[in-house]
Amino acid sequence: MEIPRGSSLAVIGPNGSGKSTLLGVLAGTIKASSGVATVADRMPALVLQSTDVDRSLPITVRETVSLARYSTLGLFRPFTSADREAIDGAMKRLAIEDLAGRQFHELSGGQRQRVLVAQGVAQDTGLLLLDEPVNGLDVTSRAIILDLIDEEIANGRTVVVTTHYLEEARRYDQVLLLNTTAIAVGLPHDVLTEEHLRRAYGGRLIRVGNEFILDDPHHSH
């Protein structure tokens, strides 16, 4: 498969189907056991799901976002005006400026996820990889992140998102349906059909009228 520059891809499938692994291969953090993954842009920005943070780790929100710039700046060079602009801009877009001095571990789950997405945006690379960026978030954080993704795509950034939400998957240019192997890939209305979804989810797919519900025991939704 191919993801054109400046387009978007949703990767959907049951728990353990390989979604996060695929992002890791694209980001270069996981070595492919077979096949080839080629990324045309420089190092992609990989945003993982927000997790609990050791409370003994002394790092503020602004410092967390600032880590994004070290991939190109290096550890010992001072920030330039461009670095500071990228950090400030990402924090503003994710509505976390007022949290700048807070300790990262003190934040709610939605706030932490917005900080991590801001870190990915501040890296300012051509490919943004997001691993279930809105899973289980509050309404406000979910809306802010989804709007940010739309803006990034409109601005020409390539975006790959893993998700468990059918409606969210339909937002993107292409969908890859996985269950340890590719079930289908293409336009959302061609991929997210009852036939393909039943192949991927089996008995965990429930039809209610014209809608489908995914009964995944590992995810509350």
Side-chain angles (χ1 to χ4, degrees), residues 61-62 91 95-102 107 111 114-115:
V61 166
R62 184 174 181 83
M91 293 181 65
I96 56 172
E97 313 105 299
D98 60 328
L99 304 175
R102 293 271 302 276
L107 305 182
Q111 291 170 331
R114 278 189 273 155
V115 172

Side-chain angles (χ1 to χ4, degrees), residues 1-3 22 25-28 30-40:
M1 64 171 293
E2 184 175 285
I3 309 168
L22 174 61
V25 170
L26 292 174
I30 296 175
K31 184 177 180 180
S33 57
S34 64
V36 176
T38 302
V39 177

Side-chain angles (χ1 to χ4, degrees), residues 17-121:
S17 60
K19 301 185 298 297
S20 298
T21 300
L22 174 61
L23 293 194
V25 170
L26 292 174
T29 61
I30 296 175
K31 184 177 180 180
S33 57
S34 64
V36 176
T38 302
V39 177
D41 293 286
R42 60 184 174 83
M43 184 182 296
L46 173 62
V47 179
L48 302 176
Q49 297 179 56
S50 180
T51 58
D52 291 334
V53 180
D54 188 337
R55 298 187 67 84
S56 66
L57 178 66
I59 187 168
T60 67
V61 166
R62 184 174 181 83
E63 289 168 343
T64 303
V65 177
S66 299
L67 291 174
R69 305 302 297 176
Y70 290 114
S71 60
T72 54
L73 185 67
L75 289 176
F76 303 108
R77 291 170 53 192
F79 282 155
T80 65
S81 59
D83 294 316
R84 289 189 289 271
E85 183 178 336
I87 294 164
D88 292 340
M91 293 181 65
K92 181 177 181 179
R93 293 176 66 191
L94 273 299
I96 56 172
E97 313 105 299
D98 60 328
L99 304 175
R102 293 271 302 276
Q103 290 292 309
F104 184 62
H105 66 76
E106 296 175 348
L107 305 182
S108 68
Q111 291 170 331
R112 285 202 301 269
Q113 189 64 25
R114 278 189 273 155
V115 172
L116 295 179
V117 173
Q119 185 187 80
V121 171

Side-chain angles (χ1 to χ4, degrees), residues 2-9 127 153 156-160 172-174:
E2 184 175 285
I3 309 168
R5 187 189 302 271
S7 70
S8 58
L9 172 74
L127 176 58
I153 297 167
R157 187 175 295 204
T158 309
V159 177
V160 179
Y172 301 103
D173 297 321
Q174 291 189 86

Side-chain angles (χ1 to χ4, degrees), residues 166-180:
L166 291 177
E167 286 307 311
E168 184 189 345
R170 293 188 177 100
R171 297 166 53 95
Y172 301 103
D173 297 321
Q174 291 189 86
V175 175
L176 170 61
L177 180 60
L178 278 182
N179 192 351
T180 70

Side-chain angles (χ1 to χ4, degrees), residues 198-215:
R198 289 199 181 282
R199 284 180 59 196
Y201 289 90
R204 289 172 288 179
L205 177 70
I206 304 168
R207 174 188 278 277
V208 180
N210 293 324
E211 299 296 324
F212 298 110
I213 299 174
L214 302 179
D215 181 23

